[in-house]
Amino acid sequence: QKEVEQNSGPLSVPEGAIASLNCTYSDRVSQSFFWYRQYSGKSPELIMSIYSNGDKEDGRFTAQLNKASQYVSLLIRDSQPSDSATYLCAVRIQGAQKLVFGQGTRLTINP
Amino acid sequence: DTEVTQTPKHLVMGMTNKKSLKCEQHMGHRAMYWYKQKAKKPPELMFVYSYEKLSINESVPSRFSPECPNSSLLNLHLHALQPEDSALYLCASSRRTGDNEKLFFGSGTQLSVL
């Protein structure tokens, strides 16, 4: 089983709708969780971090964490064409000094 | 300023060449990382430096040699690379290597090995 799993997509969402991206992880003692956005040919950009169970909102983005289910998600409200990118879920393994990435979900917002 | 600067942005090298990738940050971060990313794949960790000391080497071939001259600089020396080493090389930094620390990436060096 991979440490961090994401549906690779592509996920197509109409403009103005909510895009929902999901991620599961296998290490029960993982402490911190991150979502990165990566445009084609560019480097990953940190958009959200979440450390405790529940929801965390930042503008149009909401991260949700459920440690019991080992599940983290990212919601993008009022999706815009500029949100079209690959979204990488990343998990910091406790004590391991490193960030482990999922395969990424390619999101396309259709005008 | 949350900027990690990498040079060069693009590099083409032959298999017998020696080249170096450079990374710089002035955020006072004490952890620095090298990642390798192939097309349509996630970044893969290569090395971690913590307080200028190498703390993780993910079994990277010796043709890649990292160096951390001071707390702001990180180099990756390349020698006798193979065409399969062509990839986007990403430098990143964080305040420390602690569990809640956020990683910030540079813009990367796109490397082509001929």
Side-chain angles (χ1 to χ4, degrees), chain A residues 45-64:
Chain A
E45 175 192 8
L46 179 65
I47 54 172
M48 289 290 285
S49 59
I50 187 165
Y51 308 115
S52 52
N53 282 327
D55 295 0
K56 179 181 177 183
E57 187 175 316
D58 183 0
R60 295 186 297 111
F61 298 100
T62 299
Q64 299 174 318

Side-chain angles (χ1 to χ4, degrees), chain B residues 35-51:
Chain B
Y35 279 83
K36 172 183 175 180
Q37 187 176 26
K38 302 281 272 185
K40 300 190 188 303
K41 297 291 186 183
E44 294 179 16
L45 182 67
M46 300 175 73
F47 303 103
V48 180
Y49 274 84
S50 178
Y51 290 86

Side-chain angles (χ1 to χ4, degrees), chain A residues 32 36 38 43 51 92 95 97, chain B residues 37 42 55 58 99-100 103 106:
Chain A
S32 48
Y36 286 82
Q38 187 171 24
S43 63
Y51 308 115
R92 196 178 269 276
Q97 294 189 12
Chain B
Q37 187 176 26
S55 60
E58 292 284 275
D99 290 336
N100 288 348
L103 225 63

Side-chain angles (χ1 to χ4, degrees), chain B residues 15-84:
Chain B
M15 289 188 285
T16 58
N17 292 158
K18 285 185 182 180
K19 297 286 184 182
S20 297
L21 309 184
K22 297 187 182 302
C23 176
E24 190 169 2
Q25 56 86 16
H26 295 288
M27 296 179 280
H29 289 180
R30 302 311 298 271
M32 297 186 79
Y33 310 76
W34 280 114
Y35 279 83
K36 172 183 175 180
Q37 187 176 26
K38 302 281 272 185
K40 300 190 188 303
K41 297 291 186 183
E44 294 179 16
L45 182 67
M46 300 175 73
F47 303 103
V48 180
Y49 274 84
S50 178
Y51 290 86
E52 297 94 68
K53 288 188 176 9
L54 183 66
S55 60
I56 294 180
N57 176 341
E58 292 284 275
S59 302
V60 178
S62 60
R63 57 185 184 270
F64 296 92
S65 176
E67 178 195 20
C68 190
N70 60 53
S71 61
S72 300
L73 293 174
L74 185 66
N75 299 321
L76 186 63
H77 302 298
L78 314 173
H79 174 54
L81 294 194
Q82 304 297 309
E84 59 264 28

Side-chain angles (χ1 to χ4, degrees), chain A:
Chain A
Q1 183 185 4
K2 291 181 183 175
E3 291 177 286
V4 182
E5 296 208 45
Q6 294 181 255
N7 187 327
S8 61
L11 176 65
S12 291
V13 173
E15 185 176 356
I18 296 175
S20 178
L21 303 161
N22 303 315
C23 173
T24 58
Y25 60 95
S26 59
D27 185 350
R28 288 195 167 272
V29 296
S30 296
Q31 292 294 320
S32 48
F33 307 86
F34 306 89
W35 283 99
Y36 286 82
R37 178 177 63 199
Q38 187 171 24
Y39 293 113
S40 181
K42 302 294 185 182
S43 63
E45 175 192 8
L46 179 65
I47 54 172
M48 289 290 285
S49 59
I50 187 165
Y51 308 115
S52 52
N53 282 327
D55 295 0
K56 179 181 177 183
E57 187 175 316
D58 183 0
R60 295 186 297 111
F61 298 100
T62 299
Q64 299 174 318
L65 175 61
N66 184 324
K67 289 190 177 182
S69 300
Q70 295 176 238
Y71 177 94
V72 58
S73 64
L74 180 70
L75 302 178
I76 307 175
R77 287 183 301 283
D78 187 24
S79 298
Q80 303 296 309
S82 59
D83 295 325
S84 298
T86 295
Y87 289 81
L88 295 160
C89 173
V91 175
R92 196 178 269 276
I93 308 296
Q94 186 181 30
Q97 294 189 12
K98 64 180 184 180
L99 211 55
V100 178
F101 287 87
Q103 291 294 307
T105 298
R106 188 157 52 94
L107 173 66
T108 300
I109 306 300
N110 301 307

